[in-house]
Amino acid sequence: MQELKSPPRSRGLVVVVKPDRSPSRIDRLGLWFSKSNTIERLWIGTTESKPYPALRRVEEALQLIKRHDALNYSRITHNLDRIWVHLLPSAQAQYDRSLNACALDERYVLNETMTLERIASTIVHEATHARLEGCGIIYEEKSRYRIEAVCLRRELNFLKKLPDTGLIQDEIARTLAWCENDQTYFSDASFRSREDEGQIDTLRYLKTPNWLVQFAVRLIRRLSRVSAP
């Protein structure tokens, strides 16, 4: 059997739970300045600039879910308080329990190859995280791969109700097989490593001066050595 490897920033494998339990001041400020709408009690916001294309895409993805899968749409509006598009350093999407939010990376939503079906299935995935948390199933290191498998299966179930989604279904099926065969991806150490790398990628995306990026690289490496067991 061919060895299964994680592709860089794979959509399926980086959909994770943010471990913090209380909103940071930066998150509160970001929410305050976000452009937002409310759809059936669900707050949808973005930190992007006008004309807010990511906000529109998320709203359209929600309508896609509503048309094709009333059950998943009901679970999304019941289990999530927010869907928030902003810059995520280490993931393309994640469930943020501190905000009870599906957080989507701006670069992920606005990617020219991104489809509404992919955005919709990602929202389904994150709403499943929220539902599991509500049932008392906590995203601990020892159980992460099993939780991700549940969320990926929920995505597959949703996508089977949509036309012309065979390629996305195949991708998620491969991701499901991979995460069940390489559980180390979901370790605390792997999470920290991806967070560090993502911080640097985000600085470059924001066109931060190279000297400052290099300073950040050195600082992150120094802090990593200090925090290493």
Side-chain angles (χ1 to χ4, degrees):
M1 180 181 293
Q2 182 179 0
E3 182 181 358
L4 296 170
K5 297 182 179 180
S6 170
R9 289 182 64 82
S10 163
R11 185 212 53 75
L13 286 175
V14 297
V15 181
V16 298
V17 173
K18 182 180 178 181
D20 306 73
R21 292 185 178 274
S22 59
S24 68
R25 293 180 180 178
I26 292 177
D27 281 348
R28 291 193 185 100
L29 189 63
L31 290 173
W32 178 266
F33 284 105
S34 291
K35 167 66 177 177
S36 65
N37 293 321
T38 301
I39 298 178
E40 297 185 30
R41 72 160 287 279
L42 184 64
W43 183 94
I44 305 168
T46 178
T47 58
E48 65 184 325
S49 303
K50 291 181 180 180
Y52 313 115
L55 184 63
R56 293 199 307 274
R57 300 205 80 192
V58 170
E59 291 173 344
E60 290 168 358
L62 281 171
Q63 291 306 309
L64 181 69
I65 299 170
K66 187 176 183 178
R67 287 196 305 272
H68 292 275
D69 194 335
L71 177 60
N72 265 317
Y73 184 79
S74 175
R75 287 174 173 171
I76 290 166
T77 57
H78 177 75
N79 292 300
L80 289 172
D81 292 329
R82 301 174 179 89
I83 299 177
W84 190 23
V85 180
H86 61 116
L87 288 175
L88 300 177
S90 60
Q92 293 170 338
Q94 65 187 18
Y95 170 61
D96 185 339
R97 76 160 61 95
S98 68
L99 298 170
N100 192 30
C102 164
L104 301 170
D105 185 76
E106 175 183 316
R107 293 161 290 185
Y108 175 62
V109 176
L110 295 178
N111 189 299
E112 61 182 11
T113 65
M114 184 55 56
T115 65
L116 291 181
E117 289 80 7
R118 285 179 180 269
I119 296 172
S121 71
T122 300
I123 294 172
V124 168
H125 184 119
E126 301 311 329
T128 305
H129 275 299
R131 187 163 181 258
L132 292 173
E133 289 267 332
C135 294
I137 301 174
I138 307 302
Y139 198 73
E140 299 174 328
E141 184 176 29
K142 63 183 179 181
S143 58
R144 284 173 190 159
Y145 80 96
R146 289 192 294 269
I147 292 173
E148 290 296 341
V150 170
C151 296
L152 288 165
R153 291 190 186 100
R154 178 55 57 187
E155 281 193 80
L156 280 173
N157 178 268
F158 163 69
L159 288 166
K160 288 175 182 178
K161 300 177 182 180
L162 303 183
D164 303 320
T165 59
L167 290 178
I168 310 176
Q169 291 182 49
D170 289 344
E171 175 191 333
I172 294 176
R174 289 193 299 270
T175 300
L176 179 60
W178 189 92
C179 77
E180 290 179 339
N181 283 277
D182 189 351
Q183 300 166 21
T184 60
Y185 183 90
F186 301 105
S187 68
D188 290 340
S190 293
F191 270 46
R192 287 192 296 269
S193 176
R194 289 193 294 276
E195 177 75 19
D196 292 346
E197 294 174 3
Q199 294 285 0
I200 300 304
D201 289 342
T202 301
L203 287 174
R204 293 195 171 108
Y205 173 76
L206 293 171
K207 295 181 171 56
T208 304
N210 189 60
W211 67 267
L212 187 54
V213 173
Q214 294 303 317
F215 173 79
V217 170
R218 291 194 296 271
L219 180 61
I220 288 172
R221 288 174 178 171
R222 185 180 307 163
L223 292 174
S224 297
R225 287 195 296 269
V226 170
S227 61

